[in-house]
């Protein structure tokens, strides 16, 4: 049996436990008690009207108990119609007077503003938000007047009234109105209604990018909750990740296309600038690929942003501050402690991956020249070289070079025999470094002809033309002799078609039995089956790989330079202002216009439906789209374009006879890069920096990217090796 003492002790413990439970419950109850939001108001409308007019007060912290709210108009009690946490609606009392509107919420007094008893009243606007130029409906009373029309002001800026009745006005939102109350003035009296939220897009940043690009939209009248804003890029919905009244931050959606950015708030849409979709950035070259802290680095490529802040570079995951930026070049300084790792470039969230960078003392910043042939003297500039010649090892794609001289920052070497295009590498005391780009086996060689050589006769007042077939054979017109010579891959020159005596005519036949009659600027092109198509006074003549000549198309007038498009359709220039002939594979011709006047002696190139050729003055490369009929500009300036050829990878090569140069144009960016500038003179072969040219004529490109150029000044056909 439990004794009396034990019972007393148990009661004590139970009492203590009950106190603890009660305290815990009280704490829990207090922790979950809602915190009252402070009472405040933002606006009210209308500020005038007849007795019985409903007045809306907007704000916060009002609660939802109608018996906790009271209102007076100039001291006279008014009926409270409804209460929500954000809005109170009261009714102007019968027999009230103009004066102060006051509201009490849970004993707290709010001085709302003045209310005027009058017939004029602005009670509702619809819609309550939108952009300039849209029409809004203003409902109320007392808008009619015999002395003058009603005037409407939005944020104190006068709007054009397009329709008026006693209880309804329709007005056009003025340019740059801004957000503010809608006010109506009639007969010297005025009444203000609710605030019109003015929507606008003043700009977007960045203006270019692709899917995933983070875009800031600047303007006004946006919702502060992200979900209240609908943003689209040219009709495609985007994710809103940040919202404020004056800006939004959104993510460009998958499938984004070039077009305007629009924002819709409460069913009202405003349109902003166009967002232009650009290709992903491409890193073409990074120099150097290794080096210590403080090393200056240059990243070259395409589709960068000229705005520094829109580019981000990291090495091994560590951001590197950018010093300068253009559309094709970014410079920065290695901060040190990056470690070795991948170079990544983000342009408006679009990623380009570059090579690895080595955080070390040895590095190559520059190679001059950047390409050449065996025996070329090359200067390598960088850091960390050894002053002991034997401790430096230089290789050209694995073939060891001879070192001529050395300092800690410069090496002079001789390009070795038997090397092939590939990486230039230096090894010093166990450390290795790569040059910024592969050293290409490139230069100029004469494949046929030359000063004093009689194998070819390319000198004269008429221009010539040439092609190269799939086996490496080159065919060239001897225009003055009205015949075609073949230069085999081994350099042997033979007569391929046309009269051995140089007689002119229009006879078809086998090889030398055929006759041609070339105009001043005849053209020659080659199809995928190695058939030649030559233009002369008769029209276009077809020559099979076996030398059989036939007439392909006639009735062309003066047929000049020609080129095949990517679909195997032949285009032949008619004259600088007469457009071109389009000739299908069956020889059926169609006349097509060309709004861009072009040089008759310049070979054109085709990419898609667009032709690229020299303008009439031979100073610029111009474009013409044969589907849309749109002409344009591709690049310049030059001084005597004689040929434009496409490499099939989005680049054009341009022969410039008076600048003695070969240039490359990136079709996407229109960036012009000079590949080589030669010295004028007798045909000296060798590296691009040492070769000499006479007068450049027609040019073609083979599948390997080698260029073949007529050097009429030296009576030769020259080959320019670029890879």
């Amino acid at each position: 049996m439990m004794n009396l003492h034990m019972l007393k002790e148990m009661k004590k413990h139970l009492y203590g436990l009950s106190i603890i439970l009660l305290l815990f419950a009280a704490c829990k109850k207090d922790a979950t008690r809602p915190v009252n939001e402070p009472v405040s108001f933002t606006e009210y409308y209308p500020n005038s009207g007849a007795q019985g007019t409903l007045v809306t007060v907007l704000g916060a912290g009002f609660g939802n108990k109608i018996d906790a709210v009271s209102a007076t108009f100039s001291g006279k009690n008014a009926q409270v119609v409804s209460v929500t946490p954000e809005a109170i609606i009261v009714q102007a009392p019968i027999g009230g007077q103009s004066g102060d509107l006051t509201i009490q919420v849970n004993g707290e007094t709010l001085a709302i503003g003045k209310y005027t008893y009058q017939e004029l009243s602005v009670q509702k606007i619809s819609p309550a938000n939108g952009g300039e130029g849209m029409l809004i409906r203003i409902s109320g009373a007392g808008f009619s007047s015999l002395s003058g029309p009603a005037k409407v002001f939005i944020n104190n800026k006068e709007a054009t009234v397009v329709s008026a009745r006693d209880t309804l006005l329709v007005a056009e939102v003025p340019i740059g109105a801004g957000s503010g109350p809608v006010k109506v003035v009639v007969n010297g009296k005025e009444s203000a209604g609710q605030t019109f939220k003015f929507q606008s897009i003043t700009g977007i940043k960045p203006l270019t990018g692709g899917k995933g690009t983070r875009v800031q939209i600047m303007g006004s009248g946006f919702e502060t909750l992200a979900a209240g804003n609908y943003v689209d890029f040219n009709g495609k919905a985007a994710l809103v990740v940040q919202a404020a009244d004056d800006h939004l931050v959104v993510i460009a959606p998958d499938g984004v296309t070039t077009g305007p950015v629009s924002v819709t708030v409460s069913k009202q849409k405003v349109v902003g600038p166009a967002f232009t979709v650009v290709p992903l950035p491409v890193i073409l070259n990074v120099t150097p690929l290794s080096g210590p802290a403080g090393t200056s680095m240059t990243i070259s490529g395409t589709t960068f942003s000229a705005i520094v802040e829109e580019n981000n570079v990291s090495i091994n995951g560590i951001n590197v501050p950018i010093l300068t930026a253009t559309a094709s070049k970014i410079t920065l300084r290695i901060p040190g402690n990056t470690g070795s790792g991948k170079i990544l470039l983000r342009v408006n969230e679009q990623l380009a991956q570059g090579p690895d960078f080595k955080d070390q003392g040895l590095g190559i910043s520059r190679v001059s020249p950047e390409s050449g042939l065996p025996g070329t003297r090359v200067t390598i500039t960088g850091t960390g070289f050894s002053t002991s010649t034997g401790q430096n090892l230089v290789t050209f794609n694995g073939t060891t070079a001879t070192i001529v001289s050395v300092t800690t920052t410069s090496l002079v070497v001789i390009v070795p025999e038997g090397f092939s295009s590939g990486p230039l590498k230096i090894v010093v005391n166990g450390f290795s470094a790569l040059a910024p780009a592969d050293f290409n086996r490139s230069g100029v060689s004469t494949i046929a002809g030359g000063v004093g050589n009689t194998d070819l006769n390319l000198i004269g007042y008429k221009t010539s033309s040439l092609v190269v077939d799939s086996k490496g054979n080159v065919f060239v017109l001897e225009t003055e002799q009205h015949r075609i010579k073949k230069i085999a891959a081994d350099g042997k020159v033979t007569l391929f078609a046309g009269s051995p005596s140089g007689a002119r005519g229009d006879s078809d036949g086998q090889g030398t039995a055929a006759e041609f009659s070339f105009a001043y600027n005849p053209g020659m092109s080659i199809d995928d089956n190695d058939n030649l198509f030559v233009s002369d006074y008769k029209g276009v003549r077809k020559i099979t790989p076996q030398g059989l000549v036939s007439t392909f198309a006639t009735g062309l007038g003066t047929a000049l330079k020609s080129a095949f498009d990517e679909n195997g359709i032949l285009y032949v220039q008619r004259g600088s202002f007469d457009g071109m002939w389009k000739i299908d594979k069956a020889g059926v011709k169609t006349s097509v216009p060309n709004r861009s006047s072009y040089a008759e002696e310049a070979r054109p190139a085709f990419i898609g439906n667009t032709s690229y050729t020299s303008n009439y003055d031979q100073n610029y490369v111009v474009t013409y789209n044969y589907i849309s009929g749109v002409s344009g500009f591709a690049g310049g300036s030059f001084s005597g374009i004689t040929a434009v050829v496409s490499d099939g990878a989005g680049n054009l090569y341009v022969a410039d006879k008076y600048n003695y140069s070969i240039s490359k144009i990136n079709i996407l960016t229109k960036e012009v890069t000079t590949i080589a500038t030669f010295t004028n003179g007798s045909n000296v072969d060798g590296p691009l920096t040492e070769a000499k040219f006479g007068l450049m004529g027609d040019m073609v490109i083979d599948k390997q990217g080698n260029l073949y150029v007529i050097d009429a000044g030296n009576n030769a056909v020259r080959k320019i090796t670029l890879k």
Side-chain angles (χ1 to χ4, degrees), residues 373 442-446 678 684-688 691 693 718-721:
L373 300 172
S442 65
V444 178
S445 58
T446 299
F678 306 105
V684 174
D685 293 337
L688 299 179
F693 258 88
R718 316 285 293 280
K719 178 180 180 180
I720 303 175
T721 304

Side-chain angles (χ1 to χ4, degrees), residues 324-371:
T324 65
T326 69
S328 59
K329 184 177 292 185
I330 290 172
T331 65
L332 43 86
R333 195 174 303 280
I334 303 301
N337 299 317
T338 61
S340 300
K342 189 68 67 181
I343 299 171
L344 298 179
L345 167 64
R346 287 180 172 83
V347 181
N348 294 326
E349 315 304 326
Q350 307 300 292
L351 178 65
Q353 182 169 292
D356 286 342
F357 176 81
K358 286 186 178 181
D359 185 7
Q360 62 181 23
L362 179 65
I364 301 175
S365 59
R366 185 169 180 268
V367 175
S368 180
E370 298 175 341
S371 60

Side-chain angles (χ1 to χ4, degrees), residues 499-619:
S499 170
S501 66
R504 62 187 302 176
D506 59 8
S507 301
D508 292 335
Q510 179 67 42
T512 57
E515 291 180 331
F516 301 91
S517 181
F518 295 135
Y520 288 104
N521 297 299
M524 179 164 59
S525 297
I526 190 167
D527 67 10
D528 291 338
N529 296 315
D530 287 342
N531 296 300
L532 306 184
F533 292 81
V534 182
S535 57
D536 68 359
Y537 276 117
K538 186 177 183 180
V540 174
R541 318 284 290 282
K542 178 180 178 180
I543 311 173
T544 67
Q546 295 75 36
L548 180 61
V549 179
S550 60
T551 300
F552 182 63
T554 59
L556 306 180
T558 303
L560 304 171
K561 301 297 183 184
S562 63
F564 279 100
D565 70 8
E566 295 168 343
N567 299 313
I569 304 301
L570 183 66
Y571 286 82
V572 181
Q573 294 181 165
R574 301 173 61 181
S576 58
F577 297 100
D578 294 333
M580 290 190 180
W581 288 109
K582 176 182 177 181
I583 307 176
D584 66 16
K585 295 180 181 181
V588 177
K589 67 181 185 294
T590 305
S591 177
V592 291
N594 190 331
R595 296 175 189 166
S596 300
S597 60
Y598 48 77
E600 294 182 355
E601 68 177 271
R603 172 189 291 272
F606 278 84
I607 299 177
N609 297 311
T610 301
S611 68
Y612 298 84
T613 190
S614 169
N615 72 328
Y616 185 75
D617 294 326
Q618 296 180 264
N619 294 328

Side-chain angles (χ1 to χ4, degrees), residues 7 23 71 74 156 240-241 250 265 276 304 325 363 445 465 486 493 524 585-586 593 596 679 682 707 709-710:
L7 286 171
L23 289 172
S74 192
N156 293 321
V240 181
V241 296
V250 301
V265 177
T276 302
F304 302 164
S445 58
S465 192
K486 175 181 178 180
V493 179
M524 179 164 59
K585 295 180 181 181
S596 300
T679 303
S682 298
L707 298 172
V709 184
I710 292 176

Side-chain angles (χ1 to χ4, degrees), residues 199 201 217 222 229-231 248 262-265 268-270:
Q199 291 173 237
I201 298 177
I217 304 172
F222 305 141
N229 306 277
Y230 176 83
V231 178
L248 301 172
S262 302
V263 177
T264 302
V265 177
Q268 301 305 314
K269 182 177 183 178
V270 290

